[in-house]
């Protein structure tokens, strides 16, 4: 049977993350059942994309044909700039400050191995999707931290997906994906970051030969991205959609925007979103800076602290 058995692995993962401290036991069991069901739907989308020969970089943007992949892909980006409630902020800070359990590396290695195992196609498709999202997330974080050096030289966010996928495909094609005494996931991330550096270097060299209006547009885009990164996700999505033509993106109706970004907008009424957008336009970028911390800042604080220790 082409199905997944994920209940116990999910339970172990939740315990490793100490999520059971935030979720009541009864809610946890109900949540596990729902999560297992959603992962099954994700896996089917991922397997369908593989069967059709659709790259993940394209599938995750196709809300019509691969809705589960596309919605989770959007949520991965959205969660970085969502304002965290106090109890969730404390949990994330504690998690980042604690030594990583040895089982985490084993789980990452198992993910890479599953992504390379054609004997279990449904599991392989799901593993490849999560591996893709995990590697790509590292690139997204770097671009959000350094918009001037990346977006400011003409980098398009969509290129991050292609860099991540190409490095994963290359790694899988070389042979044993989990050689002994290596950390394959970290090596994949390093390869993707190197690919990003190379691409940005090419863009930096190319932009010097372009007309000044293109250079100014790229720099302005970087400034806008920096401002959006300082807003709460919902405000940033509404503002980004309003200025989509300026950014070279497709402008959506609010209803479409809400369906695509369920994590940030799924439980907000259309009327509330309209009111929020009107207030956002009145307040301007400075007045829209989020008042609570987001994962993006916590990750940067952790990276800074590790650099200082070294």
């Amino acid at each position: 049977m082409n199905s997944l058995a994920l209940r116990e692995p999910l339970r172990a993962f939740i315990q490793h993350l100490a999520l059971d401290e935030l979720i009541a036991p009864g809610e946890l069991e109900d949540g596990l059942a729902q999560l297992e069901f959603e992962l099954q739907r994700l896996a089917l989308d991922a397997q369908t994309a593989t069967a059709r020969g659709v790259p993940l970089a394209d599938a995750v943007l196709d809300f019509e044909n691969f809705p589960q992949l596309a919605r989770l892909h959007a949520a991965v980006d959205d969660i970085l700039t969502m304002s965290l409630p106090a109890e969730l902020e404390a949990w994330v800070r504690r998690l980042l400050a604690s030594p990583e359990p040895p089982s985490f590396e084993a789980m990452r290695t198992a993910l890479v191995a599953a992504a390379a195992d054609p004997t279990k196609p449904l599991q392989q498709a799901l593993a490849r999707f999560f591996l893709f999202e995990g590697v790509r997330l590292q690139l997204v974080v770097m671009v959000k931290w350094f918009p001037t050096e990346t977006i400011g030289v003409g980098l398009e966010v969509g290129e991050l997906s292609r860099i991540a996928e190409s490095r994963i495909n290359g790694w899988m094609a070389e042979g044993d994906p989990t050689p002994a005494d290596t950390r394959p996931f970290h090596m994949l991330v390093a390869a993707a970051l190197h690919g990003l550096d190379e691409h940005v270097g090419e863009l930096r060299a190319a932009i010097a030969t372009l007309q000044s209006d293109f250079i100014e547009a790229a720099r302005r885009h970087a400034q806008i991205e920096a401002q959006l990164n300082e807003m709460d996700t919902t405000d940033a999505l509404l503002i980004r959609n309003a200025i989509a033509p300026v950014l070279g993106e497709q402008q959506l109706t609010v209803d479409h925007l809400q369906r695509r970004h369920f994590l940030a907008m799924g439980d907000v009424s259309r009327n509330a979103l309209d009111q929020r957008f009107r207030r956002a336009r009145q307040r301007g970028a400075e007045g829209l800076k989020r008042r609570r911390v987001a994962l993006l800042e916590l990750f940067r604080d952790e990276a800074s602290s590790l650099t200082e220790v070294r």
Side-chain angles (χ1 to χ4, degrees):
M1 183 178 177
N2 197 17
S3 61
L4 301 170
L6 297 172
R7 187 73 58 90
E8 291 310 313
L10 285 172
R11 183 177 284 107
F13 183 66
I14 285 171
Q15 290 174 348
H16 285 314
L17 290 178
L19 279 169
D20 49 348
E21 297 178 10
L22 301 175
I23 307 172
E27 294 177 358
L28 179 59
E29 288 304 313
D30 291 343
L32 279 172
Q34 181 63 29
L35 183 56
E36 189 175 34
F37 173 72
E38 293 297 336
L39 288 175
Q40 182 80 26
R41 297 172 69 193
L42 267 175
L44 290 171
D45 256 14
Q47 189 181 33
T48 301
T50 300
R52 294 181 182 176
V54 180
L56 281 174
D58 295 332
V60 295
L61 301 178
D62 190 342
F63 283 83
E64 182 176 350
N65 292 302
F66 308 105
Q68 308 306 320
L69 296 184
R71 290 173 78 236
L72 186 58
H73 176 76
V76 170
D77 284 1
D78 291 349
I79 199 172
L80 285 173
T81 52
M82 291 181 70
S83 297
L84 297 177
E87 63 275 12
L88 194 54
E89 177 189 344
W91 171 77
V92 174
R93 288 188 183 278
R94 186 169 65 253
L95 187 67
L96 292 175
S98 302
E100 182 181 287
S103 57
F104 273 28
E105 187 57 40
M107 292 170 67
R108 285 191 288 261
T109 300
L111 179 66
V112 176
D117 183 4
T119 66
K120 300 177 180 178
L122 194 63
Q123 179 175 298
Q124 181 188 32
L126 183 63
R128 282 229 179 189
F129 170 69
F130 279 119
L131 188 59
F132 164 79
E133 289 295 344
V135 172
R136 178 185 172 277
L137 181 62
Q138 314 298 315
L139 304 182
V140 171
V141 168
M142 293 302 294
V143 169
K144 286 185 177 294
W145 283 350
F146 304 106
T148 301
E149 295 84 351
T150 54
I151 302 295
V153 297
L155 178 73
E156 296 182 4
V157 174
E159 294 173 296
L160 303 182
S161 292
R162 304 202 179 280
I163 291 171
E165 189 166 20
S166 68
R167 292 307 186 271
I168 292 170
N169 289 343
W171 180 269
M172 296 299 174
E174 289 180 2
D176 183 3
T178 58
D181 302 320
T182 65
R183 305 170 74 191
F185 179 80
H186 292 277
M187 294 181 73
L188 274 168
V189 169
L193 289 171
H194 180 67
L196 175 61
D197 285 342
E198 285 186 333
H199 186 54
V200 167
E202 293 169 357
L203 290 171
R204 189 177 294 113
I207 200 172
T209 67
L210 299 176
Q211 296 180 357
S212 59
D213 56 345
F214 180 90
I215 297 173
E216 181 56 34
R219 290 174 178 169
R220 177 58 182 156
H221 189 175
Q223 293 172 350
I224 293 172
E225 291 292 345
Q227 292 175 334
L228 292 173
N229 289 338
E230 294 180 340
M231 300 177 191
D232 186 67
T233 302
T234 304
D235 291 325
L237 288 171
L238 291 169
I239 296 295
R240 175 184 290 279
N241 190 56
I243 61 172
V246 175
L247 301 177
E249 298 173 0
Q250 180 185 9
Q251 191 170 45
L252 304 172
T253 66
V254 175
D255 289 337
H256 275 92
L257 194 68
Q258 190 170 19
R259 285 198 295 271
R260 294 186 176 204
H261 298 275
F262 73 98
L263 190 65
M265 298 180 167
D267 59 350
V268 184
S269 70
R270 171 61 189 274
N271 185 53
L273 287 173
D274 288 342
Q275 292 181 11
R276 185 164 184 163
F277 178 61
R278 285 195 292 271
R279 289 196 298 269
R281 293 183 64 180
Q282 294 170 356
R283 291 163 62 186
E286 192 64 30
L288 284 173
K289 287 184 178 181
R290 56 180 171 269
R291 294 178 173 82
R292 294 207 57 83
V293 72
L295 281 175
L296 192 63
E297 285 109 6
L298 295 182
F299 288 161
R300 188 159 199 167
D301 290 347
E302 176 65 12
S304 299
S305 66
L306 290 175
T307 301
E308 290 173 2
V309 168
R310 291 173 184 168

